[in-house]
Amino acid sequence: MNNIQKNRLKDQIFKIWGIGCTLFGLVILFFFIGDILIDGIQRIDWSFITDLPSRKAEKSGIYTALMGSIWILCLTTVIALPIGIAAGIYLEEYSKKGKLSALLEINISNLAGVPSIIYGLLGLEVFVRIMNLGASVLAGSLTLSLLILPIIIVATREAIKAVPTSIKDASYALGASKWQTIWFQILPASSGGILTGVILALSRAVGETAPLIVIGALAYVPFAPSTPMDEFSVLPIQIFNWISRPQHGFIENAAAAIIILLLITFVMNGIAVYFRNKWQKKLK
């Protein structure tokens, strides 16, 4: 057997191994999702969404946690989106290439892989204690904004890099300034990729629990937040609270809340995939 045949055999073995691992992961995923659906699908109704938490499982709902998640998601978007996109534009279009710039780029990429609880500790010290925001929605949003900023910055830079240089050159040839080129040509052309990164970052934020627990988010809140300074809970914390109780009714509630959280995550990821495909077609 010559080297070509050996390499082809290795390719086939690796292909079969990859398919097998993928199928194994999908089977396990379907098993878990199926088990959650069996436990929680019958519990989902309008009253479950609109009811407040209760000591009785059959009367308990996710309203306060759902509203807390919506508040956190909206405020995190408002805070992280402009800062992350502006930082990505600056690093890609304005910063001078050098050792300092390279070090900054490496650190931003590394920050995307830092455990989320580290951001929780940072948020606890800076936002809760130094800025005296307490365990408020604003403190949680600022903490999660730090968590997803590296992801948005990296996604923005990669989307801008993918814009053909001919678009920039044509804009400069027509007399446009650098900012006009960025605003009217580069950003519209890269908007799909940027939006994809933003949605994926927010999908991560909506499922985070550790940073919010560290800053003092509560497992039980008898009211929905109405201002950024109110205390709050979120769906992942509510699920953890229910799953830790021995009564089977709370297990069903947790399964139903997991289904709703999965639906939110799947919808957000589906939107990201749609815009990514639309952006790729636009660049071809």
Side-chain angles (χ1 to χ4, degrees), residues 57-74:
E58 63 275 8
K59 294 183 178 180
S60 190
I62 62 169
Y63 179 72
T64 57
L66 181 61
M67 292 305 296
S69 293
I70 292 173
W71 267 94
I72 287 287
L73 188 62
C74 292

Side-chain angles (χ1 to χ4, degrees), residues 216-273:
L218 303 175
Y220 174 77
V221 180
F223 56 86
S226 57
T227 69
M229 298 308 297
D230 288 342
E231 294 181 334
F232 69 101
S233 183
V234 291
L235 279 174
I237 294 178
Q238 184 67 71
I239 292 168
F240 174 77
N241 181 31
W242 279 338
I243 207 71
S244 62
R245 300 191 180 188
Q247 296 90 341
H248 184 70
F250 286 110
I251 303 299
E252 293 179 350
N253 287 353
I258 289 172
I259 293 171
I260 292 174
L261 187 59
L262 283 174
L263 285 175
I264 294 172
T265 306
F266 287 160
V267 168
M268 294 180 70
N269 280 272
I271 294 172
V273 171

Side-chain angles (χ1 to χ4, degrees), residues 17-28:
W17 172 256
I19 293 173
C21 291
T22 303
L23 291 176
F24 177 76
L26 290 175
V27 169
I28 297 298

Side-chain angles (χ1 to χ4, degrees), residues 5 114 122 201 212 229 264 270:
Q5 292 175 330
V114 171
L122 178 62
L212 300 179
M229 298 308 297
I264 294 172

